[in-house]
Amino acid sequence: MYHRPIHVLFLAERNSSRSILAEALLNRLGAGRFEAFSAGVTPAVAISPYAIALLHRINYNIQTLVPKAVEDFGAADAPELDFVFRLSHHLPQGRLPQFKGNPRLIDWFLPDPEDVMGSPAMIATAYADLFGALCSRIETLSQMSPTFLAGEAAADRLERMGEAYIRLAA
């Protein structure tokens, strides 16, 4: 059982879209029960303007959101983590720090909307699709009981949520 908010880190390559959106969504949907963070292996200079537009639409205060390096979460003053969600299959294992708290690693590989080329409307659609996938998963995560999340079955259930998206995309 957790005696503090459940700490979750969302990882992606640049920490400018997927992981930022996931952090914002879990902090909104799991307020008080969860504390979400995000980071990137090679952090971007700024958050994607498309991600900012989505966050503005849900009236999310983006002042606290900035791209961060994954190394920050291996530092002595880093928070103890319970879960680390990898949102990209491009994250090199050797570049991840030793996280405090021995968190469970969960793979939720999602396409990076920053890779989409085309019109602004096509790019916005890719962001909307990502946002929908994240909302569905994070809403489910935010409703799971702390007792369930502390158990062994939680990691399997969370991992399967990622597999379902991969099967649909294939």
Side-chain angles (χ1 to χ4, degrees):
M1 191 71 138
Y2 298 99
H3 301 288
R4 57 164 170 69
I6 298 165
H7 289 167
V8 175
L9 175 64
F10 293 99
L11 288 178
E13 285 110 329
R14 294 177 294 277
N15 190 218
S16 61
S17 296
R18 291 172 288 190
S19 50
I20 288 283
L21 291 170
E23 174 187 0
L25 283 168
L26 186 55
N27 281 331
R28 161 81 51 90
L29 296 173
R33 293 189 41 230
F34 291 86
E35 187 172 1
F37 309 94
S38 66
V41 174
T42 309
V45 174
I47 299 172
S48 160
Y50 290 93
I52 290 172
L54 278 169
L55 293 170
H56 278 304
R57 263 189 246 142
I58 64 167
N59 295 317
Y60 192 89
N61 180 0
I62 63 166
Q63 301 295 0
T64 61
L65 297 174
V66 294
K68 296 167 286 306
V70 70
E71 291 83 11
D72 295 347
F73 291 89
D77 62 344
E80 187 173 313
L81 299 172
D82 301 299
F83 294 93
V84 173
F85 288 83
R86 292 188 304 178
L87 303 179
S88 171
H89 63 278
H90 298 297
L91 298 176
Q93 286 288 85
R95 296 240 356 238
L96 300 182
Q98 181 65 41
F99 299 113
K100 288 171 52 177
N102 195 29
R104 288 184 256 181
L105 185 64
I106 308 294
D107 289 328
W108 278 1
F109 300 146
L110 293 165
D112 189 347
E114 290 187 25
D115 292 340
V116 173
M117 299 297 186
S119 69
M122 290 173 63
I123 296 168
T125 298
Y127 272 85
D129 290 347
L130 167 68
F131 195 71
L134 284 170
C135 282
S136 174
R137 292 177 192 196
I138 290 172
E139 183 175 18
T140 300
L141 170 63
S142 71
Q143 294 174 1
M144 292 178 173
S145 75
T147 304
F148 177 76
L149 288 169
E152 293 301 315
D156 289 338
R157 170 120 188 255
L158 292 168
E159 190 81 35
R160 282 194 314 272
M161 289 168 65
E163 292 171 0
Y165 186 82
I166 291 169
R167 280 195 301 272
L168 290 173

